[in-house]
Amino acid sequence: MNEREMLIRELERLEPQYNPEMRAVTQPFSSPGYHTTLTPEIGSVHSTRTAAYYALALLDSEVERYRERAFAVLERLVAAQDTDPERKTFGIWSWFYEEPLEKMSPPDWNWADFIGKPLILTLKRHGAALPEALRASVEQAVRNACQAIIRRNVGPHYTNIAIMGAFVTLVAGEWFGDAETEAYGLARLNRFHEYTTENGTFQEFNSPTYTTVAIEELSSIYTETGSPIAKRLAAELLDVAWAIVADRFHPRTGQWSGPHARAYSELMTPSVLSFLQHALAGRAAWLAEDEFRYHTMWYGNRIRCPERFVPSFFEPRTETLVQPLLVEAGGPRRYAITHSTEEYSLGTFTHGDLWNQRRSLLAYVATAQGPVYMRLRALHDGYDYTGAWLLAAQRENRVLFGVHLCTDGGDRHPNLHLIQDGTIAASDLRLRFELGGAVGAVEADWPPSREAAPPRCVGRIGEQPFEIDLAETAFGDHAIRYDIVRENGTIGIDVILYEGEATSIPLAALGRAVVAGQLALGGAALPYVATSTAEACTLETRSAGEGDAGGAAAMRIVLPTRPAPIRDLVAGSLAETRPTEATR
């Protein structure tokens, strides 16, 4: 099946969802829990971004009966843009036609980039076919979007938007003959290239969602620009992006190994698998034809995995990858560590928050029933708590970890939903090692502890044993409970810090609040020493000759135990792993 046939098939799949009155595709409502004030009770919605993609796809199909529909979709879409240059939201759209910009909390300025892209492609590919008035409206909408992008001027740390904004302004500037906008787009791409080259990776490191977006957007630049300089920069950045994916793809489980800077699911989604299968050009068949999801924005865009990276998607390997990550000026160096064997992978960040889009400690294990993931979460009344901070030292299949609490920063979101006055209201607060996927292959239990012995969970995922050995657990004066919770197709290995009546918890007043221990996957935990003071907790594995029969290199973490501002927690933390020849 060629790409045009796949495009038409996708349009046929969407046909029952098209609402001619709304001039948009009807979709079930979903959201990440911020920006929109709509709730699931609304049922179905009509997305402006989907409308932009849909209009371009209708015209790309070259099916005559779709042309008038495309014009109708575009007319409503351009009319929904904020066109008042005096407003902060000039040049952007709301997420949904059901919710105007002024109702959003807050509006999402990324929509200038997300909708500007399909609109400039519409002009490039089909501008001559548009009615004159509509063409003028689309041109003005693109110019407005470019101005919004330039006003906002996102830095190179915001990976996908830095690239997408460069595409919109560069390609639109070329198309309109607007030298100033074109120069901005090229300078933005060059700035992102310099930033990435200097740091060796993307800020949104190893994200199944955003690394694939980066590849798609860089491929779009390479495909659409007429600038040789922009083509060279895009090609070099594509090599960086594909190396991230290929190095961390785990062939046996078919999963994208962690840790993930941003993700929306644990197991690979059909959309990401479809993207990789498409980019591998027939070499992979993870999805059957009826499961494969062709994204209409791939049409006309040459998205291909470079040949040298292809074997990594199919050949098992045992290795440890250590990737230095970007840090704020004066901050401690962070690392992403990924250890893989044929049967499993385990990845951690040395420190960072536990936001619901973060996968700061993440493992995948192959079983006869299918892949199983293990993810560390902190839950505040059932929702991921960003104010919990992880510190981790990993060597191969073992991790010394500590989780402590900040008094500032995010609650549900790092920026949009903040902890107020160092206090949270909660009826439940817990740390959870969550297992999902083929959970029928999982066994887990908290055996009764001997007197004075630390709590310890033991279990098995398929053929792989695991242990979670806790050295320190404290949450002020609250009694801590341990449980195994099975719900929503997952298994939670829970450390329950607080449960009861909803109450305000001034975090700094707790005194000591910490959970620290060791996770071992595929083998027994290493002997280690834990020492505590009123201010800090230190965990250190024994070096060879001190009880470590395997001769593994030492790991050490030191973390403050009292809730404090993020800056103080990070400054007072230490995570060390002695390097080995297996590390690269």
Side-chain angles (χ1 to χ4, degrees), residues 482-547:
Y482 308 92
D483 199 5
I484 304 292
V485 178
R486 295 176 181 265
E487 60 184 14
N488 302 320
T490 66
I491 297 173
I493 299 171
D494 286 4
V495 181
I496 303 168
L497 304 176
Y498 175 80
E499 58 180 345
E501 296 294 324
T503 187
S504 292
I505 302 175
L507 295 168
L510 287 170
R512 298 180 79 251
V514 64
V515 176
Q518 181 180 175
L519 165 68
L521 175 62
L526 295 174
Y528 67 98
V529 174
T531 56
S532 291
T533 67
E535 304 298 330
C537 171
T538 301
L539 273 62
E540 184 171 10
T541 59
R542 297 180 185 275
S543 300
E546 296 181 287

Side-chain angles (χ1 to χ4, degrees), residues 323-568:
Q323 175 64 55
L325 300 175
L326 315 185
V327 295
E328 295 181 1
R333 172 61 79 178
R334 295 176 66 230
Y335 295 88
I337 297 145
T338 307
H339 178 68
S340 298
T341 71
E342 182 174 357
E343 303 298 329
Y344 62 84
S345 70
L346 174 63
T348 57
F349 290 123
T350 48
H351 67 268
D353 62 45
L354 294 179
W355 180 34
N356 75 330
Q357 290 186 33
R358 208 83 70 207
R359 305 294 182 265
S360 297
L361 186 159
L362 180 65
Y364 292 106
V365 181
T367 78
Q369 298 178 35
V372 173
Y373 73 82
M374 176 187 283
R375 170 193 174 194
L376 178 62
R377 305 177 70 182
L379 298 176
H380 172 194
D381 292 340
Y383 194 90
D384 295 277
Y385 183 51
T386 309
W389 277 67
L390 171 71
L391 181 71
Q394 178 181 344
R395 185 184 185 277
E396 297 181 352
N397 61 325
R398 293 155 176 126
V399 179
L400 291 182
F401 68 89
V403 176
H404 47 181
L405 305 176
C406 67
T407 57
D408 58 357
D411 186 338
R412 287 193 166 207
H413 187 279
N415 308 115
L416 303 179
H417 188 256
L418 301 177
I419 298 167
Q420 300 297 319
D421 301 320
T423 299
I424 61 171
S427 59
D428 191 281
L429 192 68
R430 65 184 63 202
L431 195 69
R432 170 172 290 178
F433 286 86
E434 179 181 276
L435 296 108
V439 293
V442 175
E443 301 173 6
D445 190 26
W446 291 100
S449 296
R450 299 189 303 273
E451 186 176 350
R456 178 169 169 263
C457 178
V458 295
R460 183 170 293 274
I461 306 172
E463 299 299 318
Q464 303 302 320
F466 71 87
E467 296 181 14
I468 301 168
D469 187 60
L470 299 181
E472 294 286 336
T473 56
F475 192 69
D477 296 330
H478 298 279
I480 294 176
R481 191 167 69 84
Y482 308 92
D483 199 5
I484 304 292
V485 178
R486 295 176 181 265
E487 60 184 14
N488 302 320
T490 66
I491 297 173
I493 299 171
D494 286 4
V495 181
I496 303 168
L497 304 176
Y498 175 80
E499 58 180 345
E501 296 294 324
T503 187
S504 292
I505 302 175
L507 295 168
L510 287 170
R512 298 180 79 251
V514 64
V515 176
Q518 181 180 175
L519 165 68
L521 175 62
L526 295 174
Y528 67 98
V529 174
T531 56
S532 291
T533 67
E535 304 298 330
C537 171
T538 301
L539 273 62
E540 184 171 10
T541 59
R542 297 180 185 275
S543 300
E546 296 181 287
D548 177 10
M555 298 178 288
R556 181 170 179 251
I557 62 171
V558 180
L559 68 159
T561 59
R562 295 182 183 275
I566 295 170
R567 185 178 296 275
D568 294 343

Side-chain angles (χ1 to χ4, degrees), residues 14-61:
L14 292 172
E15 184 69 23
Q17 297 170 237
Y18 179 67
N19 182 335
E21 292 183 4
M22 296 294 292
R23 289 181 279 173
V25 173
T26 304
Q27 298 172 288
F29 171 78
S30 66
S31 87
Y34 40 86
H35 281 307
T36 181
T37 59
L38 300 181
T39 62
E41 286 70 29
I42 195 170
S44 297
V45 289
H46 299 85
S47 160
T48 53
R49 180 173 62 175
T50 301
Y53 295 166
Y54 186 60
L56 176 60
L58 291 169
L59 293 171
D60 281 342
S61 74

Side-chain angles (χ1 to χ4, degrees), residues 89-319:
T89 52
F90 170 65
I92 71 172
W93 287 259
S94 65
W95 280 7
F96 308 110
Y97 286 132
E98 288 77 6
E99 180 181 37
L101 274 168
E102 56 269 20
K103 295 290 187 181
M104 293 185 70
S105 181
D108 190 346
W109 276 262
N110 292 346
W111 254 232
D113 310 77
F114 276 113
I115 295 181
K117 179 184 178 182
L119 289 185
I120 185 58
L121 289 174
T122 296
L123 289 174
K124 282 197 70 177
R125 296 176 187 171
H126 311 290
L130 299 180
E132 185 176 348
L134 177 59
R135 174 174 173 155
S137 296
V138 174
E139 288 178 348
Q140 189 58 52
V142 173
R143 293 181 189 275
N144 294 345
C146 287
Q147 288 305 305
I149 290 167
I150 293 169
R151 282 186 184 184
R152 187 184 182 200
N153 197 28
V154 163
H157 60 283
Y158 198 163
T159 305
N160 64 317
I161 297 302
I163 302 169
M164 196 178 299
F167 172 89
V168 175
T169 50
L170 173 65
V171 175
E174 291 176 348
W175 178 252
F176 292 129
D178 180 343
E180 186 176 348
T181 300
E182 178 185 349
Y184 172 85
L186 182 59
R188 179 163 167 155
L189 179 63
N190 187 62
R191 186 166 68 250
F192 179 76
H193 180 274
E194 290 178 348
Y195 181 83
T196 303
T197 301
E198 179 182 353
N199 292 289
T201 190
F202 300 150
Q203 175 73 33
E204 291 174 325
F205 170 74
N206 197 39
S207 164
T209 300
Y210 293 107
T211 305
T212 54
V213 169
I215 290 171
E216 181 180 337
E217 298 311 316
L218 290 167
S219 299
S220 292
I221 291 174
Y222 189 87
T223 301
E224 298 292 340
T225 185
S227 165
I229 296 173
K231 282 185 182 292
R232 174 181 60 80
L233 296 174
E236 292 174 3
L237 288 164
L238 280 166
D239 280 351
V240 174
W242 276 113
I244 291 172
V245 187
D247 284 350
R248 288 161 186 82
F249 189 82
H250 190 255
R252 178 71 188 279
T253 59
Q255 300 300 313
W256 187 321
S257 297
H260 300 157
R262 291 183 71 184
Y264 294 95
S265 64
E266 288 71 39
L267 297 173
M268 289 278 271
T269 62
S271 61
V272 174
L273 274 177
S274 294
F275 178 89
L276 296 178
Q277 188 165 310
H278 173 70
L280 288 165
R283 292 179 175 89
W286 300 305
L287 298 172
E289 186 174 307
D290 61 339
E291 299 173 306
F292 181 83
R293 288 288 174 264
Y294 183 79
H295 195 304
T296 61
M297 290 298 289
W298 302 344
Y299 187 78
N301 187 6
R302 182 170 173 75
I303 301 170
R304 289 292 179 265
C305 177
E307 286 295 323
R308 64 185 176 281
F309 297 121
V310 170
S312 295
F313 290 92
F314 307 101
E315 297 174 0
R317 55 205 179 271
T318 297
E319 63 182 358

